[in-house]
Amino acid sequence: MSGAPDWYAAGRPHVWLPYAQMKTAPPPLAVARTDGSRIVLADGRELIDGIASWWTACHGYNHPYIRDAVRRQLDAMPHVMFGGLAHEPAYTLARRLAGLLPGDLDHVFFAESGSVAVEVAMKMAVQFWLNRGARGRTRFLAFRGGYHGDTMATMAVCDPEEGMHRLFSGLLPEHVLVDLPRDEDSAAAFERALERHADELAGILVEPLVQGAGGMLFHDAEVLHRLRNAADRHDLLLIFDEIFTGFGRTGTLFACEAAGVVPDIVTLSKALTGGTLPLSAAVARGKVFEAFWSDDPLHALMHGPTYMGHALACAAANASLDLFETEPRLAQAADVSAMLAEGLEPCGGLPGVRDVRVRGAIGVVELAPGTQAAALRGAFLDEGVWMRPFGTVVYLTPAFTIGADDLAHLTAAVRRVVGRWSKDVLS
């Protein structure tokens, strides 16, 4: 990278990048600062961010209200261990999350990352049965197209054909993976899998409404109702992984709210702090928590991340929830949805484009099978936008606060880049 700052040149040989073959990957872009929906590079270029840093920065970057809340908390107490000590930001956040989530999802266990929150949820589900005297329920039913993280337990419940985790197949425990019950045939296969494995399952794990990193695959609320009914019929716990969908991304604050389904455990992260600090949570219903409420110390959930309930992150999350209450975030998300639908619709008629779809503030252009959409990243940089297509999908998950002109630039960039790619397909 020509003209790179000194810190970049000195540090680059020592940094191991995510999702990258270090020998061949293009060098990452040096960032000087962020503002709203803009990423300002060290060389002075400005990029419009089309994915809000993996959809975390739902309020845009550097929102002054969140920044001020974090600064005040930093002055008072940046962190204190959560084992045996308590602090106001975490307790207030737990109360607020319990109040916002549907049903009796009232018991909040904090962690630092989405993957860990899903692992905690899985651990809760397995120990739920152990504490009730039922042994052997150590597997989960999950779904093709799903993605739940890169840690050991979560890799095992991701789609094995997705590719990222295939190398570890001999190391990971084997769970039951089926297609989502979208139609009569897949519903029948789902039921057969439950009949065959129900007595060894701890629960059912799903990303509600949108399977994100597995391909931005959408399904409707009826699928989730089927899962809830099946979980009740077979006495299984239902876990919703809302790491991607939570906090307005699908149009309501939580996808479970839109679907009208209350899971037994829900996991949250990503936009929880408005994209400022790492924080996650696994939130359980009363019946799950009650299985751990005991005089027997062995019935306790023996888990405790070092930075659990991180005070700075909880202060940011409370400020983020304030913004959802005081600023029109969900209305803005609806406006983004309408603009995405209008701006991306022309791609639907292009050769090589398999599908164009929008749900909430998620816009997807799916290319022909076998396409390596990641090869288009450089073309998007040339358009002045920051995007990371993957698999066969080009997608947009911008901040809800993005300006209309910036969003129009993003969708126009998608039309131009995909249009040029489409002409190459024909040639």
Side-chain angles (χ1 to χ4, degrees), residues 35-57:
D35 182 37
S37 287
R38 300 294 182 102
I39 298 172
V40 182
L41 302 182
D43 62 11
R45 286 179 294 165
E46 282 195 24
L47 302 177
I48 301 171
D49 190 349
I51 55 175
S53 278
W54 279 324
W55 48 89
T56 60

Side-chain angles (χ1 to χ4, degrees), residues 116-200:
V116 174
V118 175
E119 293 222 5
V120 169
M122 295 171 70
K123 193 172 180 178
M124 281 180 182
V126 170
Q127 192 174 345
F128 169 84
W129 293 108
L130 291 172
N131 286 359
R132 292 174 54 168
R135 307 195 68 82
R137 288 180 173 263
T138 58
R139 302 178 74 191
F140 290 86
L141 188 146
F143 298 96
R144 297 186 181 96
Y147 173 82
H148 301 284
D150 299 333
T151 51
M152 285 297 180
T154 57
M155 284 196 296
V157 286
C158 293
D159 188 333
E161 300 305 317
E162 188 273 335
M164 277 199 297
H165 304 143
R166 194 177 303 160
L167 288 173
F168 301 94
S169 59
L171 173 65
L172 303 175
E174 291 188 6
H175 297 287
V176 180
L177 280 100
V178 298
D179 292 326
L180 279 167
R182 302 170 185 268
D183 53 31
E184 187 174 327
D185 288 343
S186 56
F190 169 67
E191 290 295 341
R192 287 195 299 272
L194 284 176
E195 292 291 344
R196 189 178 307 119
H197 299 288
D199 61 352
E200 56 186 312

Side-chain angles (χ1 to χ4, degrees), residues 5-287:
D6 291 344
W7 59 261
Y8 184 97
R12 186 182 170 198
H14 308 287
V15 173
W16 201 328
L17 299 172
Y19 305 121
Q21 170 46 259
M22 294 295 293
K23 184 175 182 179
T24 59
L29 303 174
V31 177
R33 59 187 176 86
T34 54
D35 182 37
S37 287
R38 300 294 182 102
I39 298 172
V40 182
L41 302 182
D43 62 11
R45 286 179 294 165
E46 282 195 24
L47 302 177
I48 301 171
D49 190 349
I51 55 175
S53 278
W54 279 324
W55 48 89
T56 60
C58 56
H59 309 289
Y61 294 113
N62 300 49
H63 195 290
Y65 185 79
I66 299 178
R67 187 176 59 215
D68 290 347
V70 171
R71 184 181 293 116
R72 288 193 302 272
Q73 186 60 45
L74 181 62
D75 289 341
M77 179 186 63
H79 172 66
V80 66
M81 64 182 289
F82 217 54
L85 300 174
H87 57 77
E88 182 273 332
Y91 277 54
T92 296
L93 179 59
R95 173 185 57 79
R96 295 178 75 180
L97 290 174
L100 290 169
L101 287 161
D104 62 335
L105 284 160
D106 289 340
H107 303 279
V108 181
F109 191 98
F110 289 116
E112 303 107 317
S113 75
S115 293
V116 174
V118 175
E119 293 222 5
V120 169
M122 295 171 70
K123 193 172 180 178
M124 281 180 182
V126 170
Q127 192 174 345
F128 169 84
W129 293 108
L130 291 172
N131 286 359
R132 292 174 54 168
R135 307 195 68 82
R137 288 180 173 263
T138 58
R139 302 178 74 191
F140 290 86
L141 188 146
F143 298 96
R144 297 186 181 96
Y147 173 82
H148 301 284
D150 299 333
T151 51
M152 285 297 180
T154 57
M155 284 196 296
V157 286
C158 293
D159 188 333
E161 300 305 317
E162 188 273 335
M164 277 199 297
H165 304 143
R166 194 177 303 160
L167 288 173
F168 301 94
S169 59
L171 173 65
L172 303 175
E174 291 188 6
H175 297 287
V176 180
L177 280 100
V178 298
D179 292 326
L180 279 167
R182 302 170 185 268
D183 53 31
E184 187 174 327
D185 288 343
S186 56
F190 169 67
E191 290 295 341
R192 287 195 299 272
L194 284 176
E195 292 291 344
R196 189 178 307 119
H197 299 288
D199 61 352
E200 56 186 312
L201 294 176
I204 300 170
L205 174 61
V206 68
E207 297 162 273
L209 298 183
V210 183
Q211 293 175 301
M216 298 294 171
L217 306 171
F218 299 173
H219 55 270
D220 58 32
E222 179 56 32
V223 171
L224 302 177
H225 284 281
R226 284 177 175 164
L227 300 188
R228 179 72 272 176
N229 291 337
D232 292 342
R233 200 164 57 249
H234 292 275
D235 195 21
L236 299 173
L237 297 181
L238 179 61
I239 303 170
F240 278 8
D241 177 353
E242 292 228 29
I243 306 299
F244 176 32
T245 57
F247 304 101
R249 187 52 63 181
T250 62
T252 54
L253 197 58
F254 303 106
C256 57
E257 175 188 352
V261 175
V262 181
D264 298 301
I265 307 172
V266 63
T267 60
L268 307 170
S269 190
K270 296 286 190 188
L272 175 57
T273 67
T276 55
L277 287 161
L279 184 69
S280 67
V283 188
R285 295 180 74 172
K287 77 170 186 178

Side-chain angles (χ1 to χ4, degrees), residues 275-332:
T276 55
L277 287 161
L279 184 69
S280 67
V283 188
R285 295 180 74 172
K287 77 170 186 178
V288 177
F289 182 77
E290 287 163 10
F292 293 81
W293 185 263
S294 171
D295 293 323
D296 186 346
L298 295 179
H299 283 189
L301 180 62
M302 298 304 289
H303 201 95
T306 300
Y307 283 92
M308 180 179 181
H310 188 238
L312 286 180
C314 289
N318 280 312
S320 178
L321 292 183
D322 289 346
L323 292 175
F324 275 103
E325 292 177 357
T326 60
E327 297 187 0
R329 284 296 173 270
L330 296 183
Q332 290 169 323

